[in-house]
Structures are given as C-alpha cells and as structure tokens.
C-alpha cells in the first residue's frame, strides 16, 4: 500500500475534527507536490506571497488539469459538481480584469464605502433581534443543538434579506447546497463508491439551484424588489450591467457563501469556547473582547480551510520549489493560521492576541467579499450566546463533522444548558 | 562583578529610573512613548510639543476634514496603551545642549535627559512673500488649525480656489475642491502634477485626471505674486507668464521644511535635509560619528537605506513615523547586540479624484518605468520603476492589492522589468524613461566645511547660507 501524504491524511474524514497535526507535518514542506500533480502550500508566508502573485490564476478555465482538458483519474478536483454545473464564472473563479469589473459592479450594492457605508452597520439591530429570538426560543430546554438551533438560522435569514431571496425558498436551496457539498471531496476517499454515488446528485442539485437563481433574477427583471440581486438586475453601474449568466453565477456564490462559512464560524466559535472555559469566562466578564476574540476564532478554526481553484500561469519559484506552469495549487489557510513562524503559540486560543493578521478571510484581490457582514453577525451571535446561555456544557467532543473539507464545520454541536438569561 | 554583569545592571537601572525626553508630540513621538513603556521602561518620560493639542493624525486633514466629513479636532490619534508621560504641550523646544544634556524650551525652562528622541517632523513651507502670505484666504495645510480654517472657507464656498504646487497635498486639495464643486486652478512649476514623487510618465496621467475632473491645471508656470483687496483679502494671483487668476482662497502646497532650527549649535548632523542617523535611529553628530544618547524618528530623520545603495533617505510617510519610532524607542532601552534596524520599504497612499494612488519603494531612485498590470486608459493599473535592471519601486492606481507583490520583489532585488503577470497585461509592456526632474537642479542647502589641521583635530562645521 502506498503511504499517504500528510495532506491526504488531513483530508480523511476520520481526521475532520482535528486536521491540525497533519497540517503541522505538512508545513515541514511549505510547498509540497502531491502524487496527483497538485501543489499544496501550507505555510503562512508562502500562501501570502502567492495570494499577491499575479502569475497565479483563480480561473479554472486556464488550468489544463482543473479545466475541461481533465483526464480520468488525474486530479481529485474531478469530483467537483459545483464548478461543472456552473458554466459562467463568478468573482472567485475569474481573474482580472473580469474579476475586478464584476467585483466593482457588485460592491456598491453590498458594502463599498463611499456608496453604502451604512448598509452593514444598519443591519445590526435586526441581527440582534434575530439572535435574541433564537436564544429566547431555547428557554425551557436543557439541551440545544448550537448548529441547528443557533448557528444556522441567523446567517441564512440575514443573507436572504441582504440579497433579496425569499426566505420561504430556503429549505429548497438548503437541500441543494447540502447535497452538492456532500459530493465534494478532495481526499483519498473521493474514489470511494459512496462519494461517487453522491456525484450525480450533487450535479443535479447545482443545476436546480442555478435554475432557481435564474428564475429569481427573471422575476426581479419583471418586477424590481428589495435587496442586492434586484438592484444588480435593474440598475446600471458605471460599467454597465453584468450579463444574466454571470449574475446568476455570482448570486449562487453569494447565497452559498452566506450559508456555509458563517454557519461554520459560529458553530466553531461556540465549540471552541466550550472547549476553553477560561476564554469563555473571560469573554463573559469582558464583552468588549468580542471584537479581537472573533478575529482569534477566525484564525483558530478558519471557516475556509483551503481554496483550490488556483493554478500557476508561469513557472513560479517559491520556497525552494518550482511550481510548474499549469499546475493546480491548493492554498491551505487552515494550516497557515496555525503556522508557528507567523503566530506565537498558534495552537493556543488567545482572545487578546496581537498582530493577528489571520487568513480567515484570505488576502489579496479575492479577500472575502462578505467579511464585514460575517464579522458583525458572529460578533453579535457569539457575544450574546456567551452572555445569555447559562452554564453551557459540551455533550459530545468531538462532535460529528460535515463531510466537506473546504467548508469544514460540525454538523451538530449538542450543548447542555441550565437556562437562558434575559 | 564582571563587566557583562555591570552592563546588564546599567541597562536594568536605566530602564527602571532613567530620564527620556521626546521632542515632538505627533505620530512618531506618541508611538515612541508607547513603545518605551511596552518595552518596560518605567523611568520618567517627558513629551514636548509646540502645538497645544494631543497627538493627532494628519492624513485626514487634506481629505476627510476639508470635505467637512470629519471636524479637524476629531483626528486625535488612538492610544495603544497608557504612556504615563509628563506632557509639555504648547511650548516649543528652542535649543539643545549636549554637554549638559538639556533641552531648552521657549519659556526658558531646561529639561534634562539621559536619552533624547528628536521627532520634530516637518512644517509646511510658507508662501515666500510674508506680506502676501499674511493676506486673508492664503493658506498652507499641515496642522489641525490649518485644516479647520481652510475647511471653514471652503464651506462658504469661495468663487475660485488657487492651489500653488501639485504635489500630493496640492492635488488632494484640488480634488476636494472639485468634489465640493468649487472652481479650482492649480499652478505647478514642474511639467505635471506629482512629477517629483512619481516622475513624468505618471505625472502625465495625473494631469489628465485633474483635467477630466474640471481642474484648470497650468503646468510649467509659477506664481509671481498675490494681490489683495483693500480689506486685506487675497483676490488675484499673477503668474510667471503674465496671466492672472482671480481667486479668493489660495493654498500654497510648496512642500515641507524640516524642523531642525532648534538644533542649531548642538553639533548634530542636522540641517536642510533633516537629522542624519543610522538605521537604528541613533543620531550622527556633525562629523558623522554616531551619538549614544540621541535618537531620531519620523519625517525629520534621515538614515541610510540598505536597498538604495545606503543613500540617506528621509521618508515623510506614515509608516515611517510609526515603525521608525518603534525601532528608535526599542534601541533607546537596549544595547548592542540587541539593537533593531529600521528597514522599512517606504510606501505612501493618496486619495484624489476618486482614485486610490499607492506606492512602494523609492520611485525617484528609478530611471525607467514599465506598466505591468491593468489599463492606463481606465486609470486602474500597476507600474514598476527600475534602475540598472533592478526593480526599485512600484505605483498603483486603484490596484493597491498588488503592492505587496511588488514590495516583495523590491525587497529581494528582483529583476526589472519584473516577471509579467499571467493576465490583465497592458498592451505595451516596454520599459521607458520615468522622467524624473533632473536631480542636479541646485537647491539652497547649507555648506559643511572641515576645520582643524591634524587628523586628530579635524571636525566639521556648518556654514548655513542665509538668504
């Protein structure tokens, strides 16, 4: 039997709860060529360097291995239904100038001062109301699921409001997203019967989801409504309007990102604080620490563990390794955030950590579009959870994890509680 | 006690009960004070500033403050920690006696120090004719009060603003005027705006930017005189080509003067160009010998830079004030081999006419330029500066996220032209002359002469030109 690389081990489902020892092993080779021809970059410095290198592409169409020229049995990302079903690029799967233009077109409708400097901060009262409602709903319970009862409903409601997606459609696309994600695997288990059998379902889910988005956009074209999607369909930016296909692809991306990453971050934050009672107590006593605290939680359990659409457009010489032109590159954010070369005592949770420039939202031109919204949601949600939930205890550690490796997160986090404070 | 133990004891004692004086209560002075405390200095700390205000941030003054978004007195710098200092605000330092280790203040007081940090920065160069400079409506912009006063007049609004000098501050003021829909004329002696900092190729783009936004830009011209009305308010400017501009607000943005006059006679290497120091912030005396007790940081400091052939560079950049102050403060409470160099890759930013201009490295050190990413026509691009096959600087217009890449190339003495990007390449990627003004243009700097006979007696002396 061929020995598995640390990367392959890190991707095994059995190690989902704690991939960090494998990352540690991985960092001994900052840029590691994998048997399948991909390159995994695991150290902070090298990842940041590549995130700012204009010879690195995010467009899978430019990568012979990731793109259509892929051959059977080559690289694991073959098992990727989302991209296969998406024919049009979105802002994370294209390069400048397309990327810049589309991001610029979308930005004014989201955050982008000077256009809408108050859009996010004005959402705070509503976010607070939602969080309060969720916590109020836990009254009388002795056991809650911090994912289903808390982490999931908030971001979903908020992203639907921001984008203008009817909340009543949510169960449908929740199902599509889950199905698509469960079919996605980059590890040694991708070849298993189980994952292969999920692939068809994943493809179908993305197609259904895409059709849903297209229909929604058509509806807004006929009759404008609230939210960002309607605005993008109906208003001309300084550089005109996005094509319908590109808009649908980006809509999908935003609904999807609003679902997955924030949910996992809230769930991981609760889980991590329950594992570190000192930190939890500190946050209870000093609620103002929620702002640096959330940054630390972003570092400690990055919602996006790695991103994989990147490839080298030229030979790139880095850390003593030559990444050849055309090679797919995995940037392992989850590993970089625990790199002892960059962070002192990286496996310790320090809510007051200074110089905490984590890669929880990436860096460079693909820096997370939704970061300001995610920060606000998590600050309010985790802050209130800590303040209001009485004597929370973790029931099961580690909790069961979702299958997906990119958007790594617990499926459930069961917590015993004594009650809910006012 | 061994010598080593004695030295360690001295350092410990100095940290516990030494006296440190910081002259200059702006960004560099504040960050130095914070760093000293951070590093465990518990002795007495005195901070002297000639303005009556607590340290404030300057970049917003020519932008948000002028637009009226932020009041000038809301730019106070945030405190990173308690500094527990004796603040002497509103009183200038007027002299330095190195023999007795004392700083003289304008009120006659003498402040003794064991170690001194000079962080007196720069001030705006005033309109050279004092009578004209005193006319109502004639401004410079450097301090909080300057910005507050100018903002008030822009709010009136004036019928036309005249900006003299199209460097960064002048261009930012012109940009604010256009945003406020105030007619503005910019007169620049050089061939284009920003030409001193970024060269003629970029200057040409900056000129186009100004014209597109309705600025009446006149390059290659000077202002010969300003004319006031009987009430003493400025009304008109006469230009060197004989033409006139009617304006009721004039902003002179003629660059800066380093605040070193108070050091005259101190025997430090202080002059027109700033205070010379090593890369660790230790001041040089006039002979080029490093001092042990005097440090320099911020705009007024001038240190050799390893990446730029060890040329002495004065960097009037925000980062330089912060990081230079931190390094100097660290070195003030440590001894060799624990000294830290301040090896900043210079960088600055400017917002004007809706464009975010950023630069890294030292553009005027280069003689060639090449556009590397984006589109000049759309005014979103990156360009690199080179000298003898090496990349030495880069500038971006609305492409700031790529600066880190160029910064790394510069740090590693990467090739020029740099490796081409994989996408978004400008059609023409040929290097061309960067068109910086001729450095041989004479400036009125003071002379330094050597005195003494025998090698052991030789010393240097300033013979400042008075004019």
């Amino acid at each position: 039997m061929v020995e598995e690389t640390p990367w392959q081990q890190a991707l095994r489902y059995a190690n989902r709860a704690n991939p960090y020892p494998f990352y540690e092993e991985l960092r001994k080779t900052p840029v590691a060529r994998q048997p399948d021809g991909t390159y995994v970059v695991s150290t902070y410095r090298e990842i940041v360097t590549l995130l700012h290198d204009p010879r690195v592409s995010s467009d899978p169409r430019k990568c012979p291995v990731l793109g259509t020229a892929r051959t059977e049995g080559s690289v694991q990302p073959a098992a990727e239904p989302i991209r296969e079903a998406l024919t049009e690029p979105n802002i994370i799967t294209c390069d400048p100038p397309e990327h810049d233009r589309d991001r610029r077109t979308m930005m004014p409708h989201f955050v982008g001062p000077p256009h809408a400097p108050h859009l996010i901060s004005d959402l705070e009262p509503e976010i607070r109301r939602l969080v309060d409602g969720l916590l109020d709903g836990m009254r009388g319970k002795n056991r809650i699921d911090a994912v289903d009862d808390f982490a999931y409903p908030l971001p979903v409601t908020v992203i639907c409001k921001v984008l203008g997606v009817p909340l009543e459609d949510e169960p449908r696309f929740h199902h599509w997203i889950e199905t698509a994600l469960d079919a996605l695997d980059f590890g040694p288990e991708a070849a298993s019967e189980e994952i292969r059998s999920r692939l068809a379902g994943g493809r179908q889910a993305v197609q259904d989801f895409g059709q849903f988005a297209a229909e929604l956009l058509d509806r807004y074209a006929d009759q404008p409504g609230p939210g960002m999607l309607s605005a993008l369909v109906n208003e001309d930016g300084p550089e005109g309007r996005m094509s319908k296909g590109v808009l649908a692809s980006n809509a999908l991306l935003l609904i999807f990102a609003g679902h997955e990453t924030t949910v996992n971050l809230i769930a991981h934050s609760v889980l991590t604080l329950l594992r570190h009672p000192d930190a939890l107590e500190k946050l209870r006593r000093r609620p103002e620490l929620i702002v640096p605290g959330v940054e630390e939680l972003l570092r400690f359990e990055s919602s996006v563990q790695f991103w994989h659409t990147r490839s080298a457009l030229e030979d790139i010489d880095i850390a003593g390794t030559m990444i050849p032109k055309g090679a797919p590159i995995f940037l392992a954010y989850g590993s970089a955030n625990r790199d002892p070369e960059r962070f002192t005592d990286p496996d310790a949770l320090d809510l007051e950590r200074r110089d905490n420039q984590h890669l929880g939202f990436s860096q460079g031109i693909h820096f997370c579009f939704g970061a300001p919204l995610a920060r606000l949601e998590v600050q309010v949600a985790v802050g209130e959870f800590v303040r209001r939930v009485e004597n929370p205890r973790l029931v099961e550690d580690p909790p069961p994890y979702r299958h997906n490796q990119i958007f790594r997160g617990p499926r459930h986090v069961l917590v015993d509680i004594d009650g809910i404070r006012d | 006690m061994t010598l080593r133990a004695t030295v360690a004891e001295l350092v410990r004692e100095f940290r516990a009960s030494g006296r440190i004086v910081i002259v200059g209560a702006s960004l560099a002075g504040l960050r130095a004070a914070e760093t000293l405390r951070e590093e465990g200095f518990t002795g007495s700390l005195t901070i002297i500033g000639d303005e009556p205000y607590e340290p404030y941030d300057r970049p917003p003054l020519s932008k948000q403050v002028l637009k009226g978004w932020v009041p000038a007195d809301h730019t106070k710098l945030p405190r990173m920690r308690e500094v527990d200092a004796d603040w002497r605000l509103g009183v200038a330092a007027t002299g330095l006696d190195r023999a007795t280790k004392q700083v003289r203040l304008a009120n006659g007081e003498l402040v003794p120090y064991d170690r001194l940090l000079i962080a007196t920065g720069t001030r705006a160069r005033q309109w050279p004719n004092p009578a004209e400079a005193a006319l109502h409506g004639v401004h410079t912009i450097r301090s909080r009060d300057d910005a507050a006063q100018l903002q008030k007049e822009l709010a009136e609004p004036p019928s036309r603003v005249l900006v003299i000098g199209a460097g960064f501050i002048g261009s930012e003021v012109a940009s604010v005027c256009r945003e406020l829909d105030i007619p503005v004329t910019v007169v620049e002696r050089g061939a284009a705006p920003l030409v001193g900092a970024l060269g003629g190729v970029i200057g040409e783009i900056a000129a186009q930017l100004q014209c597109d936004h309705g600025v009446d830009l006149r390059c290659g011209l000077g202002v010969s005189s300003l004319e006031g009305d009987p009430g003493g308010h400025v009304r008109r400017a006469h230009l060197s080509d004989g033409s006139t501009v009617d304006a009721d607000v004039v902003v002179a943005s003629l660059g800066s003067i380093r605040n070193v006059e108070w050091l005259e006679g101190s025997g430090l290497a202080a002059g027109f160009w700033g205070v010379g120091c090593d890369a660790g912030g230790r001041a040089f005396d006039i002979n080029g010998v490093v001092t042990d007790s005097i440090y320099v940081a911020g705009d007024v400091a001038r240190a050799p830079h390893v990446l730029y052939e060890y040329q002495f560079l004065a960097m009037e950049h925000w980062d330089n004030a912060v990081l230079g102050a931190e390094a100097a403060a660290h070195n003030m409470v440590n001894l060799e081999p624990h000294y830290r160099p301040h090896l900043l890759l210079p960088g600055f930013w400017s917002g004007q006419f809706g464009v975010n201009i950023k630069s890294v490295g030292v553009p005027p050190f280069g003689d060639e330029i090449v556009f590397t990413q984006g589109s000049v026509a759309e005014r979103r691009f990156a360009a690199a500066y080179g000298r003898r096959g090496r990349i030495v600087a880069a500038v971006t217009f609305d492409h700031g996220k790529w600066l880190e890449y160029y910064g790394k190339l510069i740090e590693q003495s990467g090739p020029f032209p740099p490796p081409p990007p994989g996408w978004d390449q400008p059609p023409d990627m040929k290097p061309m002359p960067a068109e910086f003004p001729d450095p041989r243009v004479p400036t009125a700097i003071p002379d330094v002469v050597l005195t003494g006979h025998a090698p052991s007696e030789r010393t240097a002396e300033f013979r400042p030109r008075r004019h």
Side-chain angles (χ1 to χ4, degrees), chain A residues 127-138 141 144-158 262-271 273 377-389 411-413 415 420:
Chain A
I127 291 173
R128 246 170 228 294
R129 248 193 326 275
L130 287 165
V131 170
D132 272 345
L134 292 170
L135 289 166
D136 288 342
M138 294 174 194
K141 288 189 186 176
I144 57 160
D145 180 352
V147 177
D148 287 350
D149 301 340
F150 190 64
Y152 185 76
L154 172 72
V156 168
T157 312
V158 173
T262 320
V263 176
N264 288 340
L265 184 55
I266 295 173
H268 261 141
S269 297
V270 169
L271 175 65
L273 288 171
E377 286 180 32
V378 182
Q379 285 164 5
V380 173
V382 176
E384 286 300 290
F385 186 93
V386 167
R387 187 179 74 78
R388 293 192 59 190
V389 178
R411 193 177 291 281
H412 302 286
V413 176
V415 183
I420 300 292

Side-chain angles (χ1 to χ4, degrees), chain B residues 51-75:
Chain B
E51 285 185 82
Y53 309 118
E54 285 189 48
Y56 57 86
D57 206 19
R58 293 181 199 272
L61 295 181
S62 55
K63 308 173 184 85
Q64 291 89 337
V65 170
L66 286 193
K67 277 181 223 168
W69 289 3
V70 178
D73 56 0
H74 277 49
T75 60

Side-chain angles (χ1 to χ4, degrees), chain A residues 48-49 51-57 62 95-97 100 104 239 313 354 363-365 367, chain B residues 38 69 80 373 378 380 398-399 401-406 408 419-425:
Chain A
V48 168
T49 301
L51 284 173
H52 290 96
D53 193 324
R55 295 168 299 171
V56 174
S57 169
K62 295 180 189 168
D95 294 331
D100 294 359
R104 271 200 306 274
E239 287 159 282
L313 297 176
R354 301 187 62 175
Q363 262 192 30
I365 59 165
F367 179 85
Chain B
E38 191 77 41
W69 289 3
M80 316 297 276
Q373 285 177 258
E378 287 181 33
R380 303 182 218 277
D398 276 350
H399 250 54
K401 286 209 165 72
W402 295 109
L403 269 191
E404 183 137 353
Y405 171 69
Y406 295 99
K408 205 137 273 178
W423 28 258
D424 203 17
Q425 298 184 359

